[in-house]
Amino acid sequence: MDSLYILIPIAVVFCAIAIKLLLWAIDNGQYDDLDKEAWRILMDEEDVQRKEQADRD
Amino acid sequence: MLKRTDSEHCYHCGELVPPGTHLTVEIGGEPRPMCCPGCQAVARLIAGSGLDSFYRLRTELNETAPPLPQENLYLAYDNPENCADFVSALDNGEHRAQLLLGGISCAACTWLIEKALLANPAVSGANVNLSQQSLVVEFNREQLPLSEIFQQLLALGYDPHPWQLSQGARLIETEQRAALRELAVAGLAMMQVGMFGIALHAGDIQGIALEYRGLMRWVSLLIASVVVFYSARSFFHNAWNNLRFGRLVMDLPVALAIGLAYIASAWATLQNSGEVYFDSIAMFTFFLLLGRYMERQVRRREFLRQTDLQSLLPVASLRREGDSWATVPTRSIRSGDVLLLRAGETIPADGVLLDGGGAVDEAAFTGEHLPRSIGPGEQVSAGTVLREGGGSMRVACDAAGSRLATMLGMLTRAGDKPTLARLADRVAARFVGAVLVIAALVAAYWIQVDATRALWITLSVLVVSCPCALALATPAALTAATAHLRRRGLLLVGEDSLEGLLRCQRVIFDKTGTLTHGELRRRETRVAEGSTEEEALAIAAALEQQGRHPIAQAFADITAATGLREVEVVAGRGIRASLDGRRIAIGSPAFVSETCPGLPAPPQAPGHWIALAADSGLLAWFALDDSPRSDAEATVAALQGRGLAVELLSGDPSNAGRELAQQLGIDAVRIGASPKDKLEHIHSLQAAGTPVAMVGDGLNDAPVLAAADCAFAVNQATDLAKSQADAILLGQSLGPLDDAFAMAVRCRKIIRQNMSWALAYNGLAVPLAAAGWVPPWAAAVGMSASSLLVVLNSLRLK
């Protein structure tokens, strides 16, 4: 159980890194438009399909 | 799935295809029906650029596209001087422009706009923000003039405007990011603390070594400190600021609960005894912040669209300098300048017409969409639109003294809406009082009985009475109601719009553009002998295309005949031309009789009659009017059925208002009311104790909308009217108004149920805690369960 003394601080450090990254992303404007990002993935797929279609033709 | 993509509705905008219209565009391998040449042009452009998968991706129908203007109206933006405030230079020699776009309805629009712009090699970056409806485009100014970008956006069916972030809007953006940061920290911290919380609760039940319990408590304390001092600080701020002025608000019990639970838990950690509540603190903070964030998100979009004086006037105007006309930014115009006015342009300043003449659309002030004919010596006002004709004017006063500025100034004076004490805050005030009294009594009792346990039991009373469910009761119900109304076609913007709606006893409608479509439509066609309706309509459409008068809209859905020559547009009267060797004319009977001397008198029937005639004789009479929206009558009846008084308040002095009121069954009518009259009328009603709801669309309605207890703007309303409204109708239908009243009643019922439940839960838990019987895990479960119940109950609002 002594390993907890190492594992828990590691978990806390990882949590701090995750928070830091998230805050960086927010300040970078990546969360300014939540409505669009939810859709973007579908749009890109559309492009790929179109390209595949073109490759086959 | 999208509704209304059958053969009777326009594939682009979903409007009913008018009878006799056979416009199609091939999309996805099939011919699709279009309602008007405007939509056809946009759809053809989209399909022709290989972007037709837009139609499969979109989740909302597009707005009906206006016909494209023949000349580029944005040329003034090619002069860097005129666009310094929304275009900035980049390091690599390119430029970045910020634009606001009207007509963006769903995410597929952003895809379409970005794809279409990036197809041009001179554009290096294009990014549309859907929630702000804004576009940032980076482009090479030498290869691509800015006016081309404007023109291309217009061709795609969107309405571009320069975008300058106002001070207020900038503040909202910063606040929104700060709120998201707080939310993110609370969320991640909640997961961490929750993890240790489970271990600690399990330890309480099956035993845990003191050493490890201490470790986990210390780590939890560390993480919870971040939540309390960073994420939750706004609750403490709000509670304290209101408390200083003697107001007890919902944030006070929230701040008390978070603060006391934190202090108690920190004390327990230091002493290595007692109980800790770190997991509850983090979770409670996170969910409250989440609710608040979503509530704000809705309001942000509309706030960003607020209009100021500058954006209502043209960017540049033509000023006489010596013998020539120079293009100057409108804001540099001063009293005494002489300006050139051209058809189709917004008049930049108040003044007197020196020469020329034409027809000026004063909808901004009167709400009346039919233009007024003007000649030399007559007054013109900034913000009105010269539909036809042209000439020059002398500016009489600076922008700040114009009628338009006066009207905008009225907004600030109309400003403060009657504020209501929110139900949640009223309950909160009593709740805080009760909890503090009980806690004091409990402490007094336990100090007498068992002083060692007094502190812990008093604290557990305060923590158990933590008003999670109570705090969520109102926002959960409002969020559910807002989401439901959004699907029905009504966007709630104001914070308290539903509560405000409940008090309203009188609904006041504007006429033109609100109860009616706000544009002229053909009501009746009477064809003369020897002519067919189809032929007459085609000729009329061809002639009307030449002018810019609003009458042209009535023929926009017709495919025009070709072969017109020697066209002559007489401003405010009509249009003449030659076709197949004949002289033909359309317009007022007096004007047409100059071409066709034997013209008979117009038919005696309601409507605005115009004649179409050749030199050989009459071809047809057309009756035009501004028809009421299809469900106006049903909506008025439904509102009256709810016991609400309905009134028509119109700026149009003609008798059309009375006729419409009679047709729709409205008893109370006021016509010819200026924006000031309208505002005074609302104020006098409010002073007499009648809260009013107002439905409007125009610039002239904006002050009234700002003053009304609950304000609705229709879909085509000007941005200024929208920014003053509590709710915006998203479609063509007025029906959602009635839904909103129904929803307000149901929402109040659900909020009351939620609050009763939350108070009952606290009522039960507090005595148990006072007796010292509630372990912390039971308190945590109880809190979560009661909050969940409140959320589930709110979801019944469907």
Side-chain angles (χ1 to χ4, degrees), chain B residues 295 298-299 302-303 415-420 482 485 490-502 504 686 692-696 701-714 719-730 737 740:
Chain B
E295 203 186 341
V298 183
R299 252 173 294 145
E302 291 313 316
F303 187 84
D416 301 333
K417 269 180 202 297
T419 44
L420 347 157
T482 307
L485 284 174
L490 188 80
L491 182 68
L492 287 181
V493 191
E495 197 170 355
D496 305 317
S497 26
L498 277 180
E499 287 192 63
L501 203 56
L502 279 172
C504 292
Q686 285 171 333
V692 286
M694 171 81 201
V695 193
D701 296 322
V704 201
L705 290 174
D709 295 77
C710 189
F712 295 88
V714 298
D719 286 346
L720 190 68
K722 281 185 179 172
S723 71
Q724 299 304 321
D726 296 304
I728 296 166
L729 290 166
L730 296 171
L737 280 180

Side-chain angles (χ1 to χ4, degrees), chain B residues 245-258:
Chain B
F245 297 106
R247 286 193 300 263
L248 299 172
V249 289
M250 202 67 215
D251 276 350
L252 184 62
V254 170
L256 270 182
I258 294 177

Side-chain angles (χ1 to χ4, degrees), chain B residues 281-364:
Chain B
I281 297 171
M283 202 156 47
F284 181 44
T285 310
F286 175 73
F287 282 115
L288 278 177
L289 286 176
L290 184 66
R292 243 167 237 208
Y293 178 77
M294 296 191 343
E295 203 186 341
R296 266 191 188 165
Q297 190 81 355
V298 183
R299 252 173 294 145
R300 180 176 70 145
R301 178 184 302 187
E302 291 313 316
F303 187 84
L304 287 171
R305 301 180 57 125
Q306 288 218 2
T307 333
D308 56 8
L309 188 59
Q310 286 305 332
S311 61
L312 294 170
L313 297 176
V315 202
S317 318
L318 286 167
R319 182 168 66 187
R320 160 95 38 93
E321 282 177 4
D323 290 336
S324 59
W325 298 101
T327 307
V328 296
T330 298
R331 48 177 172 265
S332 67
I333 289 174
R334 293 288 168 267
S335 167
D337 286 354
V338 174
L339 305 177
L340 184 68
L341 302 178
R342 293 181 301 186
E345 289 177 357
T346 302
I347 296 175
D350 280 14
V352 180
L353 204 62
L354 293 178
D355 55 61
V360 61
D361 175 353
E362 296 186 321

Side-chain angles (χ1 to χ4, degrees), chain B residues 409-661:
Chain B
M410 249 152 80
L411 271 185
T412 31
R413 283 204 301 282
D416 301 333
K417 269 180 202 297
T419 44
L420 347 157
R422 297 168 76 183
L423 185 58
D425 286 339
R426 288 203 306 268
V427 173
R430 285 181 216 155
F431 183 81
V432 179
V435 166
L436 292 179
V437 169
I438 291 171
L441 290 177
V442 169
Y445 172 80
W446 280 99
I447 285 170
Q448 308 288 323
V449 179
D450 183 354
T452 53
R453 295 180 65 197
L455 174 69
W456 288 110
I457 289 176
T458 312
L459 273 178
S460 78
V461 167
L462 285 169
V463 173
V464 157
S465 67
C466 161
C468 299
L470 192 62
L472 284 171
T474 314
L478 287 180
T479 310
T482 307
H484 173 77
L485 284 174
R486 171 83 177 76
R487 282 193 296 275
R488 298 297 300 269
L490 188 80
L491 182 68
L492 287 181
V493 191
E495 197 170 355
D496 305 317
S497 26
L498 277 180
E499 287 192 63
L501 203 56
L502 279 172
R503 313 186 325 146
C504 292
Q505 295 165 13
R506 197 174 186 89
V507 187
I508 301 182
F509 285 93
D510 173 51
K511 179 178 73 80
T512 318
T514 302
L515 279 176
T516 68
H517 286 101
E519 58 189 48
L520 289 174
R521 299 193 175 197
R522 293 194 310 282
R523 174 183 178 140
E524 204 183 331
T525 305
R526 293 197 188 168
V527 184
E529 259 176 72
S531 166
T532 66
E533 182 165 345
E534 219 161 283
E535 182 200 354
L537 282 173
I539 297 175
L543 283 167
E544 287 295 347
Q545 262 183 8
Q546 311 297 321
R548 292 173 184 248
H549 198 274
I551 285 181
Q553 282 172 355
F555 298 92
D557 55 333
I558 307 284
T559 316
T562 50
L564 282 194
R565 277 178 295 117
E566 298 161 45
V567 180
E568 182 193 354
V569 181
V570 183
R573 302 191 65 205
I575 299 159
R576 256 192 294 259
S578 296
L579 181 71
D580 304 332
R582 290 192 295 177
R583 287 298 289 167
I584 49 172
I586 191 166
S588 63
F591 172 76
V592 174
S593 60
E594 290 170 18
T595 306
C596 169
L599 192 76
Q604 293 300 315
H608 179 75
W609 287 93
I610 61 166
L612 173 70
D615 39 18
S616 53
L618 178 75
L619 295 176
W621 286 105
F622 301 105
L624 307 176
D625 69 0
D626 185 9
S627 55
R629 290 175 192 262
S630 52
D631 59 353
E633 191 172 350
T635 305
V636 168
L639 292 176
Q640 285 167 337
R642 292 190 179 277
L644 297 159
V646 178
E647 181 173 346
L648 184 77
L649 185 60
S650 173
D652 172 12
S654 78
N655 213 28
R658 290 191 201 286
E659 281 170 21
L660 182 73

Side-chain angles (χ1 to χ4, degrees), chain A residues 33-44 46, chain B residues 2 46 51 53-62 101 103-116 126-135 156 158 301 486:
Chain A
D33 188 3
L34 296 171
D35 299 338
K36 182 173 99 181
E37 298 308 320
W39 282 92
R40 212 212 283 274
I41 184 165
L42 299 177
M43 316 266 169
D44 287 342
E46 193 74 17
Chain B
L2 281 176
I46 293 172
L51 297 171
S53 43
F54 166 69
Y55 286 104
R56 267 184 298 135
L57 290 169
R58 66 178 179 171
T59 50
E60 303 284 337
L61 291 159
N62 291 65
L101 297 174
I104 294 189
S105 49
C106 74
C109 293
T110 71
W111 175 84
L112 174 71
I113 294 167
E114 289 175 6
K115 281 273 137 93
N127 187 14
V128 180
N129 185 320
L130 180 62
S131 43
Q132 291 176 355
Q133 313 228 319
S134 65
L135 163 72
L156 283 172
Y158 303 97
R301 178 184 302 187
R486 171 83 177 76

